Amino acid sequence: MEFKLQPLGDNSVIIELGEDISRNIQQKVNKVSSFLDEQSFDWVIEYVPGFTTVAVFYDPMKIKTDTLPYEQVCEELSSYLEKLDVEEGAEPRVVEIPVCYGGEFGPDLEEVAERNELTSEEVIDIHSNGEYIVYMIGFAPGFPYIGGMDERISAPRRKNPRLKIPAGSVGIAGKQTGVYPIETPGGWQLIGKTPRKLFLPEGETPSLLQAGDQIKFVPITEEEFQKWEENEND
Amino acid sequence: MIKITKPGLLTSVQDLGRYGYQKYGVIASGVMDATAHRIANLLVGNDENEATLELTLLGPDMEFTEDTLISICGGNLSPSVDGKPVKLWRSVLVKAGSKLKFGGCKTGCRAYLAVAGGFDLPEVMDSKSTYIRAGIGGFNGKPLQADDELTLGEPSDFATQITKVLSAELDGQKFAEMQWTIASEFTATPASKPKVRVMKGRQYDWFTQDSQMKLFTESFEVTSQSDRMGYRMKGPELLLEKEQEMLSEAVNSGTIQVPSEGNPIVLLADRQTTGGYPKIGQIATVDLPIMAQLKPGDKVQFTEVSHEVAQQLYLDREKQIHQLKQGISLKIKQESK
């Protein structure tokens, strides 16, 4: 696998795996991430995947070396990364996200429709038939950076960001779509809401989604939303 | 037990941070001034990672229901027990029924209050740090409020030794302080415009030569839009040579990123896990405590340091703290004889 190593301060190294957002580079990021999950270097504290990078945070005090820690880290990482390759045909995990579109759950649905000269139903249809890939998790706990939204339903961010966006809101910003896992301020156009929890602080992994996952948005009614929510809170 | 009677401006439970979960978007959190926090713990016989209370600008008032060994390190927020000033950077035994209050902020911005045995609070994702926005960790995921009651953990044998030494000196007073304190290299009051060492950031070359130069020659002021997540700085405009889009990637504590309007933001303890603004600089880890003690209106001068020197400084500081740990241990052994 081709890569470049660059420092991010005195306790972290960034592994660069490419320059553009693509499925192929995402798979490399995933491969490096799984490698880091499985390795047994005692100096690795954690890693953070990006669109084309993986940052490795390390404990400089745990690196045995006569030189400086960074050099040793690069040497040890390189010897493994050189041998890594992405296998063909690794199937992504598919996660279904039920969404109740419009109404109070998606107050900007009509605006998104009007802007694109579509009906609300057409926006829902296009949004829920897209093929989406989670490129990375960041910004907030469990927040997925999702690629693959149809440009026919794109919409700019709101001029006045909302001070509070409820957890579970599904939004559109430019050519991106995403789900807010916790209540935050934000400027995305809200088209719906999911009853599924994306941030699970008590769970084995605190994020429902992971980089590399394929997402399917499934339209549900308000009634189904209520039922889902009751089950989630059980 | 400690009962909070007045919460102060922002008082939260923090340890050295929540690690291993940033890949899920869960921020690291933890103390802003790790050095003051670690020393505070050492002085009460705790593990360095044990949670302390981080007090900001305007400290809280609290009551102690039992004899408690404490230490206060970091910024000087004028602590006093039952009206008598308490010194920073040393072990202090406080009698049951005493009231600890904080007054004006004399130096710095944040103080760390450690108690022997630490706080008996559940760990969330391996950490007691409060992550306010997600409502997890610390004391019910929130900053401390009036009437909150903190239960203390079991003091270490070492803490018991210190307590014994101080008990002998109480003499009917409400508290007793250890005579000796920490070497001045850790406790010195920062200069009025401190120097903070900065490495070139990953996108340093994207900025105009003029901006690159100004980063290291002019001073920057901390604005009121600053918190545990990051400090927004005001100074000369830092501009890109040409518009360039960046893909979001990991950021670090001390990362200096610059949005397009040209004012830098220094990311700190509650920083987001990833960011998409160009990074002009990266503060050396050893100088993060200096940054953490700046308050709105304070000025700072960034000076350039190489990646090699920053690493060496890191290793040297860790050695110093290790020696300090041994020094404290030796001192207590001598005094308990």
Side-chain angles (χ1 to χ4, degrees):
Chain A
M1 191 179 289
E2 273 186 50
F3 61 89
K4 267 194 265 175
L5 300 176
Q6 289 270 319
L8 175 66
D10 45 35
N11 59 357
S12 170
V13 52
I14 284 196
I15 306 166
E16 297 176 348
L17 295 158
E19 307 212 315
D20 307 303
I21 300 180
S22 77
R23 185 74 182 119
N24 176 262
I25 290 172
Q26 205 285 319
Q27 282 173 335
K28 288 185 180 174
V29 168
N30 252 10
K31 184 75 191 178
V32 172
S33 299
S34 340
F35 156 69
L36 288 164
D37 279 328
E38 289 153 15
Q39 52 70 36
S40 53
F41 303 127
D42 67 341
W43 41 266
V44 172
I45 296 172
E46 64 179 323
Y47 69 89
V48 182
F51 282 108
T52 61
T53 56
V54 181
V56 181
F57 290 86
Y58 56 85
D59 181 350
M61 297 306 288
K62 288 202 176 144
I63 295 156
K64 309 266 177 302
T65 175
D66 300 329
T67 58
L68 287 167
Y70 180 72
E71 288 174 40
Q72 184 67 20
V73 163
C74 288
E75 202 170 296
E76 290 195 34
L77 280 179
S78 296
S79 68
Y80 284 88
L81 293 173
E82 276 157 12
K83 284 179 261 167
L84 281 189
D85 258 314
V86 177
E87 310 98 34
E88 288 296 312
E91 281 292 310
R93 185 174 75 138
V94 181
V95 183
E96 288 196 352
I97 307 280
V99 183
C100 183
Y101 289 95
E104 57 172 311
F105 292 152
D108 302 324
L109 177 64
E110 279 177 34
E111 204 185 313
V112 173
E114 270 169 39
R115 184 175 282 280
N116 292 292
E117 294 172 1
L118 299 166
T119 63
S120 294
E121 287 69 34
E122 285 171 321
V123 172
I124 296 172
D125 199 47
I126 294 170
H127 191 261
S128 57
N129 275 303
E131 285 222 348
Y132 301 97
I133 288 168
V134 176
Y135 278 94
M136 56 186 273
I137 305 286
F139 172 66
F143 184 92
Y145 284 81
I146 298 171
M149 195 185 75
D150 197 311
E151 277 197 47
R152 285 178 297 163
I153 56 172
S154 71
R157 286 177 171 80
R158 287 169 59 88
K159 284 212 179 81
N160 286 315
R162 287 186 171 89
L163 292 176
K164 275 185 183 178
I165 290 187
S169 294
V170 178
I172 286 175
K175 288 179 271 181
Q176 308 177 76
T177 185
V179 187
Y180 286 93
I182 58 171
E183 186 187 283
T184 65
W188 290 33
Q189 308 269 11
L190 307 182
I191 59 165
K193 195 175 162 190
T194 179
R196 266 198 105 161
K197 289 200 168 79
L198 273 74
F199 175 47
L200 312 156
E202 312 296 332
E204 202 171 302
T205 58
S207 172
L208 173 70
L209 300 171
Q210 285 169 36
D213 284 350
Q214 205 172 310
I215 291 187
K216 235 188 124 24
F217 292 111
V218 182
I220 55 169
T221 64
E222 217 173 308
E223 229 176 24
E224 288 169 308
F225 183 97
Q226 309 295 359
K227 247 186 222 160
W228 255 99
E229 210 166 39
E230 281 163 28
N231 289 338
E232 285 269 310
N233 290 329
D234 266 352
Chain B
M1 195 177 70
I2 293 178
K3 187 179 170 185
I4 304 294
T5 49
K6 244 170 72 181
L9 192 62
L10 173 63
T11 304
S12 69
V13 175
Q14 299 291 342
D15 57 22
L16 287 176
R18 182 169 283 113
Y19 291 101
Y21 300 92
Q22 288 197 71
K23 62 182 165 188
Y24 303 118
V26 178
I27 65 172
S29 307
V31 291
M32 291 279 279
D33 181 343
T35 305
H37 160 93
R38 291 166 75 184
I39 295 176
N41 271 327
L42 294 180
L43 286 169
V44 296
N46 287 349
D47 185 88
E48 288 172 37
N49 188 42
E50 181 53 65
T52 60
L53 296 186
E54 183 179 271
L55 328 176
T56 319
L57 284 169
L58 206 70
D61 292 356
M62 60 188 81
E63 282 173 24
F64 293 80
T65 62
E66 59 197 293
D67 292 4
T68 311
L69 180 69
I70 68 164
S71 71
I72 304 164
C73 296
N76 186 348
L77 310 189
S78 312
S80 64
V81 169
D82 287 9
K84 271 182 81 180
V86 177
K87 294 198 178 87
L88 299 180
W89 304 101
R90 61 188 77 206
S91 318
V92 181
L93 179 65
V94 180
K95 288 291 290 174
S98 304
K99 294 183 175 70
L100 172 64
K101 290 189 177 191
F102 291 84
C105 178
K106 283 189 189 153
T107 62
C109 179
R110 285 161 233 277
Y112 293 86
L113 171 67
V115 296
F119 298 102
D120 184 22
L121 292 167
E123 289 192 346
V124 179
M125 291 176 237
D126 314 322
S127 167
K128 291 182 185 173
S129 285
T130 316
Y131 175 5
I132 297 167
R133 182 166 269 176
I136 57 167
F139 193 85
N140 297 331
K142 285 186 245 173
L144 293 179
Q145 293 160 27
D147 297 330
D148 282 351
E149 292 177 342
L150 294 156
T151 311
L152 311 185
E154 195 62 39
S156 62
D157 292 347
F158 185 57
T160 313
Q161 283 180 345
I162 306 176
T163 302
K164 214 187 270 170
V165 172
L166 285 172
S167 292
E169 290 175 23
L170 261 175
D171 200 24
Q173 300 291 308
K174 283 291 196 170
F175 68 97
E177 293 163 327
M178 199 57 101
Q179 295 299 316
W180 48 266
T181 180
I182 299 300
S184 62
E185 57 198 280
F186 292 107
T187 65
T189 308
S192 70
K193 193 173 76 181
K195 289 187 164 63
V196 164
R197 287 165 285 197
V198 170
M199 289 164 267
K200 287 176 182 170
R202 275 170 55 73
Q203 287 80 31
Y204 178 81
D205 294 338
W206 290 18
F207 289 84
T208 63
Q209 273 194 352
D210 182 55
S211 300
Q212 293 176 355
M213 189 194 71
K214 281 176 173 160
L215 175 70
F216 292 125
T217 51
E218 297 199 19
S219 63
F220 292 83
E221 186 181 318
V222 179
T223 71
S224 55
Q225 284 174 296
S226 297
D227 55 21
R228 282 177 41 85
M229 186 171 180
Y231 280 8
R232 284 175 179 264
M233 313 294 289
K234 208 171 64 190
E237 272 193 342
L238 303 177
L239 300 171
L240 292 175
E241 189 68 55
K242 61 176 201 298
E243 277 288 311
Q244 274 193 78
E245 275 300 306
M246 216 195 103
L247 296 175
S248 289
E249 62 178 33
V251 292
N252 202 345
S253 205
T255 295
I256 307 176
Q257 59 173 24
V258 187
S260 51
E261 35 84 23
N263 286 313
I265 302 173
V266 179
L267 299 177
L268 294 162
D270 278 355
R271 69 196 177 277
Q272 70 278 21
T273 57
T274 55
Y277 291 121
K279 300 180 273 293
I280 195 171
Q282 174 67 44
I283 295 176
T285 301
V286 283
D287 284 351
L288 284 175
I290 302 175
M291 214 55 213
Q293 292 295 351
L294 295 178
K295 54 181 170 290
D298 285 349
K299 288 198 168 109
V300 63
Q301 165 85 59
F302 297 126
T303 60
E304 191 179 348
V305 68
S306 69
H307 182 230
E308 288 73 26
V309 171
Q311 291 183 73
Q312 198 55 56
L313 290 168
Y314 187 112
L315 300 177
D316 293 347
R317 171 59 58 91
E318 289 306 309
K319 264 180 219 145
Q320 282 176 339
I321 293 183
H322 185 71
Q323 281 165 1
L324 181 70
K325 195 173 172 176
Q326 290 180 321
I328 293 174
S329 167
L330 203 67
K331 201 88 187 150
I332 294 302
K333 262 188 207 145
Q334 286 168 352
E335 296 204 17
S336 8
K337 270 179 195 160

